[in-house]
Structures are given as structure tokens and as C-alpha cells.
Amino acid sequence: MSSRPATARTYQVRTYGCQMNVHDSERLAGLLDAAGYRRADDGADADVVVFNTCAVRENADNKLYGNLSHLAPRKSADPGMQIAVGGCLAQKDRAAVLQRAPWVDVVFGTHNIGSLPALLDRARHNREAQVEIVEALEEFPSALPASRESAYAAWVSISVGCNNTCTFCIVPSLRGKEVDRRPGDILAEVQSLVDQGVLEVTLLGQNVNAYGVSFADPETPRDKGAFAALLRSCGRIDGLERVRFTSPHPAEFTDDVIEAMAQTANVCPALHMPLQSGSDRILKAMRRSYRAEKYLGIIDRVRAAMPHAAITTDIIVGFPGETEEDFAATLDVVREARFASAFTFQYSKRPGTPAAELPDQLPKEVVQERYTRLIALQEEISLAENRAQVGNTVELLVAVGEGRKDSVTARMSGRARDGRLVHFAPGDADIRPGDIVTTTVTGAAPHHLIADAPITSHRRTRAGDAHA
């Protein structure tokens, strides 16, 4: 057992999966900071390594257990080092994590991330692994302290859980039924973030536009218009430059949300709305309660209200029973929708989901061939959509880490209001992450834009005051 005091111990949080997990990881880091731990320097070995896992795709399991195996020799050489596994895989596998990796010290679930420091202490004191998986949410992640990666952009959880029963998805069984935060609590958190200098917030939920169906506070009545009202309320927060949200479900995407997006100045003209398949037959098998015509109708209405909106999506290739005709229907929707970009996935069989038991699981080579065709089509569309931006003036929120080659090329990168990634040369201007700049687009590639040196820029102090 290590004799190092907790206050001298360093930690590292490794995150897999979606934005919800990124948000949870910031809370895990905040909890460890508050408990006296210190974030490990880049490249240094940490005394505590926390894996915040995802269970959506098959390779998530392989990646986790591969990384745990790599840590086994370190753990053997330094028994005082601790390894914790949390998130959706921990919620799903529970004690099986210790069976496959008995050198793990702590296993905790999606509903009790606030327990991590106590579980680490208990494991160190008792010299035995601690497994704590609770079945219901103990407190919203946003109620916990956070150590945010960015000083100018932040995630805000508005709900947890999901009431949908998509046959390919294991998330609802791991994160539970949807529970929504009170609007006042959300807006108070957003205001607090803005007071700290945050310029952009992203509202998070497994099905974000269903917000209002089941408030944690029983005194707050169900309100189907709650999400549109929340967007408009965010628009009244002085100093909040940008509002984003992810991910909405097409079945519940209503016109009042489109109106709120179009009429609220700081809500970005960007929409990430998962399609999953363009085949009505496959959508039915997936238990996705919309059809291609409805999906395309939403896109038409969004573009009518916001002609320059960038729409992105998720698509699954090779769902059980998918025929060439079904796949052709997906390609047809992609052509008509003209997504700015798409996150494309090859279907992976997830134990515990209804789809895993369906007949007609497709051969890997068939899925791969279709996936390659989809990628080629979307790359062609993305390039054309990005080329249409050349000559436009765009406003960027400059960010660190957006462009992986920035340090080598001496360029900087930021996100336009519509979410597109833009690389630019700063020229002689003193530009820093968190600055807002305007510039002109001069070139395009499928996954990014290229722009001139900034035309204008402004910076905000920590207190949120702007100056040129």
C-alpha cells in the first residue's frame, strides 16, 4: 500500500464516447480536484487513472480492456497506484470488470459519479476493490464540481436518461428513464458560467428536445414547450455569445424549437439530428418512431427558417436485415438532405439489445462495402457544401486543440457559428483561444474550411468584459 497522502496524488481521466461522457469526465476531474488530488502533467504517469467508458459500440469493450491490460504491469510494480472504471460499460458489466481485470480498484456506474473520491479512499483503506453501481440517479452531473477543459465553452446537462427503446441502443438501460432538471437550475448554471467568462454553452441530453416530459422536481408540471422556452431564456442571458444543443430526436422535433432557434440571436444555426437509416423498413426495425419523409420535412423547415444552417447527422450501416434496397434508400436521403457532415458507423452487435437477437446479421464484408460507399458519397457532399462557403465572412470562436496540426503549421482554428471547423493564419494579430474573430473563407476541404487572417477580433476578460 502506498504511503503517499491523497493530497500529493495525481490523476488522469480517460474519456470514451459521447459529449455526455465528456461532461461527466469534467465532473469527475472536479471531484478529484476538490478531494485534494492533482491533475497529472501531460505524458506523466498518474497515481490514479479513471476510465469513463461508453458501451455504444463493440470496440469500446476492446479498447477498455486493452488499456487496462497495458496498466497491469504498472499496477504490479506500484500497488499504491489506483485504477477506476466508470460510465456505461461499468454500469453494464459491473463485477465482470473485476473478473476480466482483477487489478482494478474501483468500479462505479453512471448514476453515482459523485461517489468516486470516497470509493478510492475506501479501496485504499480496505486494500480491496470497491464496486458500487446504483440503479437511480443520485444527483445531476451539473450539480457536482467541474474541472473544465475550456475556459470559454462549457457543457450543461439539462436531462439524463432516455425514454426511447431503439433496438440497437443500450444507453436507456444503463442511464435509466429520462429525468429533467428544473429550468431555473439550468439557467442559474448558465449564468454562473457566463460570469466566469464562458462564451458558449452546449445543452446536453440523450433526447434533448424531449426536455419537459419528466422533471426531477415533482412540483414542476410536464411541459412539451419547455425546450423551446429554455432556448429563448438562454437568449436573454447577457454575455452568452453562443448556444448549441445535442442531440435531438426527429420524432419529437417540433416547430416551436425551429422558431426559437431562428428567433434567438445567440442560438447557433447548427443542428445535429441523427437519421440512423433512410429506409422506413429499417427505421421500424430500429424502433425509430419517424420515417424518412418526416425527417426530410424537418430539414426543409429548418432551412426555410435558417437558410444557412449546417445540419449534421448519425447513420448506422448494416443493421440486421438491411438489404441493398434499404441501403439505397439511405443514400437517397443523404443526397436529398445534403448534410454538412455525418458520423457514420458500422452496426456492431451489442449484447443486451433487441437488435443483437435479430436474424439476418450481415456479413462484415457486406457492411464494409456499403460503409465505404456511404463515406464516399458524404465526402463528396461535404466538400461541395463547404466549397459553397468560400467567399463568406464567418465569425469564429478560437479554440485550442481543434486543429491537430496547428502547432506544426503555425495556424489557428476555431468553430464558425454553424459549427464548421475553420483553420486560419493569425498573421500579426495577437489571437488567443477564447477570442472571437471574423475572417473570410478562402478554401474548403470535406472536413474543414480555410480562411484569411482575421479582419476583426475581440477578447473577453475572465469577468466577461469585452474589449477590442
Side-chain angles (χ1 to χ4, degrees), residues 11 14 20 40 85 118 122 184 223 352 363 366 392-393 407-408 446:
Y11 72 87
R14 303 185 187 180
M20 192 71 73
V85 178
R122 197 183 309 158
D223 178 5
V366 172
N392 290 349
T393 298
S407 59
V408 176

Side-chain angles (χ1 to χ4, degrees), residues 358-376:
L358 290 176
D360 301 323
Q361 303 280 330
L362 271 61
K364 172 68 175 175
E365 59 271 18
V366 172
V367 179
Q368 180 63 55
E369 189 273 337
R370 291 177 184 171
Y371 179 77
T372 301
R373 277 192 281 156
L374 174 61
I375 291 291

Side-chain angles (χ1 to χ4, degrees), residues 55 58 61 92 170 173 347-354 356-357:
E58 185 176 13
D61 300 58
K92 178 175 75 75
I170 199 168
S173 66
Y347 170 77
S348 59
K349 191 175 181 179
R350 306 305 292 130
T353 63
E357 306 303 320

Side-chain angles (χ1 to χ4, degrees), residues 306-336:
M306 294 169 286
H308 302 298
I311 299 173
T312 59
T313 196
D314 296 336
I315 301 172
I316 296 173
V317 177
F319 187 81
E322 181 189 76
T323 64
E324 181 60 30
E325 183 180 6
D326 294 320
F327 179 66
T330 295
L331 295 181
D332 287 342
V333 172
V334 169
R335 290 188 188 97
E336 188 167 348

Side-chain angles (χ1 to χ4, degrees), residues 49-53 64 68 83-87 89-90 97 104 106-109:
V49 178
V50 182
F51 293 92
N52 188 17
T53 65
L64 170 67
L68 289 176
I83 302 170
V85 178
L89 261 180
V97 174
V104 168
V106 171
V107 180
F108 62 102

